[in-house]
Amino acid sequence: MKVIVEENEQKMSESAMFILLGAMMQDKRVNISLTSGRSPKTMYDMMIPYVKDQDKFKDIQYYLFDENPYTDKEFGPNWTDMQNLFFKPANIPDERVHIMNSENYMNYDEEIRQAGGIDVMVIGLGWDGHFCGNCPRCTPFDSYTYKIPFPEKQAVNPTYQDRPTQPFTLTMGPKSLMRVKHLVMIVNGKEKAEIFKRFLDEPINQDVPATILKLHPNFTVICDKDAAALIDSTKKY
């Protein structure tokens, strides 16, 4: 695991963006998986001008790594968020965005493997130590893409609000991420300082499921100084 501490969110986002762009410049089909949420917004804003309407990136394929499908809508919130954050502004056509649903999730990992695997994935660190849809105390560490009923997640973490039209979560599991060629985690903001310290300092455990990712053979963690405020700067991670 390589930990990079940048001065601020702008520098953190720039570092992550250049990793993505470097992978995208390969002269072949490149498969990328991206996260939604607040942490990557600056990165996407910076990246859109580089990517939009560029013919050299026509072979880039995008894979969503989790979803909470609605029972009354065609697409889930992760797809919608990524459309708004990046895909629409960058003019990424829908046919290059691959999503998981209740029909294909059991074959999702094999489809990705047949397509050459994920070249680079950018994820965030959740406020409670989750990654993708893998939440505390209900993450099977030996799992590829799996389905978890929402009531199970709520049972171990009552702070999750009711979602009557989203009865389950689909997510790439720890084993799915271990197959990714370059895994990148971005962490920013002082509100992430405590969980970031726990992620770095604690052994692999179910209370902070992201700790399992420290086993990944090519894992880069990029944070800003606010997120790194509580870590021991003299310690080598």
Side-chain angles (χ1 to χ4, degrees):
M1 179 176 65
K2 181 179 182 180
V3 178
I4 301 171
V5 180
E6 297 287 13
E7 184 69 27
N8 50 43
E9 181 182 343
Q10 186 82 5
K11 292 292 186 181
M12 177 202 76
S13 301
E14 186 176 60
S15 293
M17 177 187 71
F18 285 136
I19 290 174
L20 281 170
L21 291 175
M24 292 167 69
M25 292 297 292
Q26 297 176 85
D27 188 21
K28 69 177 186 70
R29 168 179 171 143
V30 176
N31 301 319
I32 287 177
S33 189
L34 300 174
T35 186
S36 59
R38 179 186 60 81
S39 296
K41 186 181 186 308
T42 299
M43 181 186 71
Y44 294 142
D45 290 342
M46 297 169 64
M47 191 171 167
I48 286 165
Y50 287 96
V51 175
K52 186 176 181 180
D53 300 326
Q54 294 296 307
D55 190 61
K56 62 186 174 184
F57 294 138
K58 67 181 185 303
D59 292 328
I60 308 299
Q61 302 290 316
Y62 298 89
Y63 289 81
L64 301 189
F65 54 63
D66 67 351
E67 192 55 279
N68 301 298
Y70 292 105
T71 56
D72 55 351
K73 297 179 184 178
E74 182 178 2
F75 297 108
N78 193 24
W79 183 90
T80 301
D81 288 348
M82 284 305 305
Q83 288 289 331
N84 294 331
L85 281 170
F86 182 65
F87 295 142
K88 284 183 180 179
N91 283 348
I92 307 299
D94 288 351
E95 57 266 25
R96 284 168 48 201
V97 180
H98 304 267
I99 63 175
M100 61 176 68
N101 54 45
S102 56
E103 282 74 43
N104 74 354
Y105 80 94
M106 295 185 70
N107 299 315
Y108 201 63
D109 293 283
E110 180 60 21
E111 290 175 8
I112 291 172
R113 192 184 71 82
Q114 292 289 343
I118 300 294
D119 292 279
V120 60
M121 174 187 283
V122 177
I123 64 173
L125 175 64
W127 59 272
D128 58 356
H130 76 263
F131 67 97
C132 306
N134 299 282
C135 295
R137 298 175 297 284
C138 56
T139 293
F141 282 165
D142 61 347
S143 179
Y144 292 100
T145 298
Y146 67 98
K147 174 180 179 179
I148 180 168
F150 184 72
E152 287 186 27
K153 292 173 64 176
Q154 196 173 38
V156 299
N157 193 334
T159 62
Y160 293 136
Q161 297 179 351
D162 286 333
R163 298 189 310 196
T165 62
Q166 296 170 281
F168 56 84
T169 292
L170 304 172
T171 185
M172 292 175 72
K175 279 192 171 182
S176 304
L177 271 68
M178 293 301 168
R179 286 181 169 180
V180 173
K181 296 169 189 174
H182 190 179
L183 182 63
V184 180
M185 175 187 281
I186 54 175
V187 191
N188 65 291
K190 60 184 180 181
E191 68 276 8
K192 294 288 181 71
E194 184 174 347
I195 194 64
F196 187 49
K197 176 177 172 56
R198 291 187 62 192
F199 160 74
L200 290 174
D201 290 347
E202 292 183 11
I204 296 168
N205 69 90
Q206 276 283 346
D207 286 338
V208 186
T211 52
I212 190 69
L213 300 178
K214 292 189 284 189
L215 296 177
H216 195 284
N218 188 17
F219 184 26
T220 301
V221 180
I222 310 174
C223 66
D224 64 8
K225 282 192 172 180
D226 284 343
L230 299 180
I231 69 173
D232 183 354
S233 61
T234 66
K235 186 175 181 180
K236 186 175 181 180
Y237 293 98

